[in-house]
Amino acid sequence: MCGIVGFIGKRQAAPVILDGLAKLEYRGYDSAGMAVFDGEKVNVTKAVGRLKVLEELTHGGETMPGTVGIGHTRWATHGVPNDVNSHPHCNRDKTITVVHNGIIENYIPLKNKLLKKGYDFVSETDTEVAAQLLDYYYNGNPLETILKVLHRIEGSYALGIMFADHPGEIFAARKGSPLIVGQSADGCFIASDVPAVLRYTRTVYFVAEQEVVRLEADHMHFYTMDEEEIEKEPTTIEWDADAAEKAGYEHFMLKEMYEQPKTVTDTLLPRLKKDRIEIEELGMSDDEIREVRKIHIVACGSAYHAGVTGKYVLEGLARIPVEVDLASEFRYRNPILEEGAMVIAVSQSGETADTLAAIREAKQRGFAVLGIVNVVGSSIAREADHVMYTWAGPEIAVATTKAYSAQLIALYLLAVKFACVKKTVDERMYRLLLRDLKRLPDQIELLLNNKEKIQHFANRYIGARDVFFIGRGIDYAISLEGSLKLKEISYIHSEAYAAGELKHGTISLIEEGTLVAAVLTQEKLYKKMISNMVEVRTRGAFVLAVTNEGNGDVKRAADYVIYIPETNQYFTNSLAIIPLQLFGYYISVGKGCDVDKPRNLAKSVTVE
Ligand code: F6R
């Protein structure tokens, strides 16, 4: 959701910025722009649409010479996507230039104040208010002025700022929106995310909440909001830049689906020591685990769906009551957290605004939060009291696949660990559970290798108008995720229902040819599911079933069957999701949709 890249150093800035912005395309955007200081003045170029329009307009950056610059990809919030609303924004005499990710919530009163002082505004954006406010307070000292403005801004921001009368510096600041800075022998960088700078450097600093950075060509200075200079430790990025490239796959989503066996292994193995589950980062003794009376899981989107699976697994295995909340609801519903409650926040990006706010809500009430997070050093990773990383590596496709699979594994690990400590499973069952966990990567691989079967089936449904996903128990959780995968990348209307709910309204939507994807992996619910499938089939539905190997008689209620290998009943979601991901993917490809960057979506949702 908006991308920022800035450079100051020995290279030409514009090509570095264009290259970095391309690496941030996954964040979602509808226009792009950059500002480069040419030695005398700041030149700004903006373009609506894809980044390549800006590239063409500037001949790959050649028409914007200079070694200091900032760039931006905008995902419209305040004002339609057009050249005027695109970033960078400037003050009236174009001496202060700003790029911004986030939302300035009090921009209307600030704008009204500036209008009264005689300022004019050209755009509808909140960001232009920041540029004009910097102008209003500017006293020749950029740092002092920035801090003054930041103290007056409410909301969230990652900012890149240039002052034409300080051409040897770029400034950056953040609150609530992600921002990193990096350093190489050639210069210093700012960016919304690591992949934007990886081609140039592996030495990065994660900018903390309410920190300001002053970048020079060969040095960076970090400040608190009280203007105190602070020392920071750099992080060396270990993962390869290739991990953020397509590596020969047609789409990032396909590549990331294929990485799932590795992701599952990487999340699982570091926590298996001598065939026991050890989750050191949990920071809880066995006695403390035994004291957990209730678990609250907060998350958004697919991470929420992982949480719903987590509820069934944690309750089933460890017999601890679990409440799963959409973070956007939790934060405002005055949740009841009682003694013995444990809060778990699940997030791939670690930057989701609602999840972050839910964490703050829990912490304010005195409850420690465990973050299940993918992006190392992200805001949620920093604000949670303990972090269990999902080692999925960078996920570029907007629709999550491998990070979701890793989230499931993290939640299984917690459930099995808690069950073992609380003795709700015996030693024999514990060993069987570990055995089945370790089998998952190979089983996922097997399902991925049978992708043609799904591809073939998906081609028949490219024209579908509505698709329903049904399941019971843990299969309902996977139906939610299967449905989201399909609709978000193919734009086909789709809904997930607990199969028992069908008769309470939804079944009236079933007509001749409606596709119903039924997931039935739970033995004790198998017959009930078959009845539900027969019900929709009698009303004309075409039924796709996803079920366990050996359930041959499912054919009497289904038109097409995908079998998943045998695993423990609590882990079936990790396998059932694979054909559903592939189904959404192939429908999207078949329809010619932008698979990796679906319309209106952003990879990290850093605003409410
Ligand atoms: C869907 C998807 C989103 C995210 C949601 C939360 O494919 O990716 O629904 O799961 O926006 O994002 P994170 O996990 O970054 O908090």
Side-chain angles (χ1 to χ4, degrees):
M1 201 162 260
C2 297
I4 290 177
V5 178
F7 176 74
I8 178 164
K10 295 182 195 150
R11 291 167 176 265
Q12 288 297 302
V16 175
I17 292 169
L18 286 170
D19 181 49
L21 290 177
K23 299 288 187 308
L24 299 180
E25 277 194 298
Y26 71 87
R27 297 172 64 81
Y29 69 100
D30 37 47
S31 58
M34 60 181 164
V36 179
F37 184 73
D38 69 6
E40 279 177 26
K41 60 181 187 320
V42 174
N43 297 304
V44 176
T45 309
K46 307 181 189 187
V48 173
R50 289 281 164 223
L51 194 60
K52 72 172 184 312
V53 184
L54 183 67
E55 262 165 22
E56 280 164 17
L57 212 60
T58 61
H59 297 279
E62 266 177 38
T63 61
M64 297 185 75
T67 57
V68 188
I70 48 180
H72 188 267
T73 41
R74 173 175 187 253
W75 194 81
T77 55
H78 294 72
V80 294
N82 63 24
D83 283 354
V84 179
N85 289 329
S86 310
H87 300 209
H89 286 282
C90 300
N91 61 337
R92 50 189 160 185
D93 52 11
K94 314 226 175 312
T95 51
I96 303 174
T97 316
V98 178
V99 289
H100 167 220
N101 170 22
I103 291 181
I104 298 172
E105 285 169 2
N106 60 339
Y107 83 104
I108 292 180
L110 291 173
K111 188 170 182 173
N112 288 340
K113 170 180 159 156
L114 289 165
L115 284 168
K116 278 193 202 129
K117 303 274 178 198
Y119 280 80
D120 290 325
F121 289 83
V122 290
S123 79
E124 299 158 79
T125 66
D126 48 339
T127 307
E128 192 186 359
V129 175
Q132 301 280 34
L133 202 60
L134 284 163
D135 178 280
Y136 177 68
Y137 286 116
Y138 193 47
N139 61 1
N141 180 332
L143 183 63
E144 225 174 85
T145 309
I146 289 170
L147 290 170
K148 202 172 220 172
V149 166
L150 296 185
H151 278 115
R152 281 157 181 79
I153 284 179
E154 288 164 21
S156 57
Y157 54 77
L159 289 164
I161 308 169
M162 296 197 305
F163 290 79
D165 59 353
H166 284 72
E169 293 169 332
I170 296 181
F171 294 85
R174 85 171 276 258
K175 182 181 159 222
S177 297
L179 195 70
I180 60 116
V181 291
Q183 188 164 14
S184 76
D186 285 347
C188 294
F189 306 79
I190 63 173
S192 299
D193 200 356
V194 174
V197 303
L198 263 192
R199 185 169 162 191
Y200 310 98
T201 181
R202 286 173 174 277
T203 308
V204 305
Y205 298 79
F206 292 95
V207 181
E209 278 291 280
Q210 301 200 292
E211 231 168 57
V212 180
V213 194
R214 181 162 65 86
L215 296 95
E216 298 166 335
D218 55 3
H219 207 77
M220 287 188 285
H221 307 265
F222 297 88
Y223 301 92
T224 65
M225 291 289 278
D226 298 323
E227 219 185 317
E228 270 170 42
E229 187 158 355
I230 42 174
E231 290 296 320
K232 272 178 85 88
E233 283 301 311
T235 301
T236 305
I237 300 299
E238 304 289 354
W239 42 271
D240 206 321
D242 280 356
E245 305 287 343
K246 274 191 221 156
Y249 286 91
E250 201 183 338
H251 298 101
F252 280 114
M253 186 177 171
L254 189 62
K255 174 184 175 243
E256 288 160 6
M257 284 192 282
Y258 268 85
E259 285 170 354
Q260 289 178 110
K262 180 174 183 312
T263 296
V264 167
T265 307
D266 290 351
T267 304
L268 193 60
L269 285 195
R271 280 113 187 179
L272 295 186
K273 309 235 163 78
K274 295 194 188 133
D275 258 345
R276 312 292 308 174
I277 297 177
E278 302 279 343
I279 314 174
E280 280 155 21
E281 60 271 48
L282 198 57
M284 286 172 94
S285 66
D286 285 0
D287 280 344
E288 284 168 325
I289 290 175
R290 278 187 280 269
E291 275 160 27
V292 175
R293 298 272 162 270
K294 184 164 186 180
I295 295 176
H296 293 261
I297 301 179
V298 291
C300 303
S302 295
Y304 167 79
H305 298 157
V308 178
T309 301
K311 172 184 167 70
Y312 286 103
V313 182
L314 278 153
E315 288 190 342
L317 286 173
R319 307 305 298 151
I320 302 173
V322 180
E323 224 174 284
V324 195
D325 267 270
L326 292 164
S328 52
E329 291 296 313
F330 182 90
R331 65 183 290 189
Y332 293 120
R333 80 169 167 86
N334 196 8
I336 300 168
L337 298 179
E338 288 176 337
E339 212 186 313
M342 171 182 180
V343 179
I344 304 179
V346 187
S347 175
Q348 186 286 126
S349 63
E351 300 296 346
T352 303
D354 282 320
T355 311
L356 203 50
I359 290 177
R360 290 178 185 153
E361 178 70 30
K363 287 184 73 169
Q364 211 175 16
R365 289 155 186 253
F367 288 86
V369 176
L370 169 71
I372 296 182
V373 181
N374 193 42
V375 177
V376 176
S378 56
S379 302
I380 293 177
R382 283 199 305 269
E383 292 206 19
D385 300 275
H386 300 282
V387 187
M388 191 173 168
Y389 281 113
T390 49
W391 297 113
E395 193 178 60
I396 308 297
V398 166
T400 182
T401 52
K402 62 173 180 169
Y404 167 81
S405 282
Q407 288 162 355
L408 291 183
I409 299 299
L411 289 160
Y412 299 162
L413 281 167
L414 282 176
V416 180
K417 169 83 190 167
F418 281 25
C420 174
V421 172
K422 291 188 70 205
K423 297 204 182 337
T424 49
V425 297
D426 60 19
E427 187 59 26
R428 193 186 136 270
M429 177 54 80
Y430 180 69
R431 291 196 177 279
L432 287 176
L433 287 163
L434 290 193
R435 183 202 66 185
D436 285 348
L437 277 176
K438 285 192 275 184
R439 280 182 180 172
L440 286 174
D442 287 345
Q443 293 175 322
I444 292 174
E445 183 113 46
L446 203 74
L447 286 161
L448 285 165
N449 290 341
N450 278 329
K451 65 177 191 318
E452 280 75 20
K453 194 169 174 200
I454 312 280
Q455 186 172 12
H456 175 73
F457 179 76
N459 285 339
R460 285 163 55 179
Y461 276 89
I462 285 165
R465 196 188 57 183
D466 308 293
V467 180
F468 295 93
F469 288 75
I470 58 170
R472 285 172 179 260
I474 211 163
D475 292 334
Y476 168 55
I478 211 61
S479 302
L480 290 168
E481 179 58 9
S483 168
L484 179 61
K485 281 289 89 76
L486 174 68
K487 72 183 120 190
E488 67 179 332
I489 57 173
S490 74
Y491 317 143
I492 292 175
H493 167 251
S494 144
E495 311 236 11
Y497 284 95
E501 268 297 288
L502 282 182
K503 283 203 271 295
H504 300 284
T506 320
I507 202 158
S508 66
L509 293 169
I510 304 294
E511 51 190 44
E512 201 56 40
T514 306
L515 177 59
V516 175
V519 185
L520 57 168
T521 68
Q522 303 297 297
E523 211 182 306
K524 65 176 189 296
L525 298 166
Y526 183 73
K527 287 204 179 109
K528 305 259 172 235
M529 274 302 294
I530 294 280
S531 305
N532 294 133
M533 289 155 67
V534 170
E535 277 159 17
V536 289
R537 209 167 173 225
T538 337
R539 284 157 183 85
F542 187 95
V543 178
L544 163 71
V546 178
T547 193
N548 306 330
E549 255 164 24
N551 286 340
D553 64 334
V554 75
K555 288 194 184 122
R556 68 188 158 88
D559 299 281
Y560 203 82
V561 185
I562 306 287
Y563 291 102
I564 61 164
E566 194 207 329
T567 186
N568 184 280
Q569 56 167 330
Y570 289 109
F571 305 149
T572 55
N573 276 190
S574 285
L575 303 178
I577 192 56
I578 305 298
L580 300 185
Q581 290 172 345
L582 287 166
F583 179 62
Y585 172 77
Y586 282 118
I587 294 244
S588 176
V589 173
K591 285 186 73 179
C593 300
D594 195 345
V595 178
D596 287 333
K597 290 184 251 57
R599 69 185 180 206
N600 306 336
L601 290 179
K603 184 65 181 165
S604 62
V605 185
T606 51
V607 294
E608 273 192 69

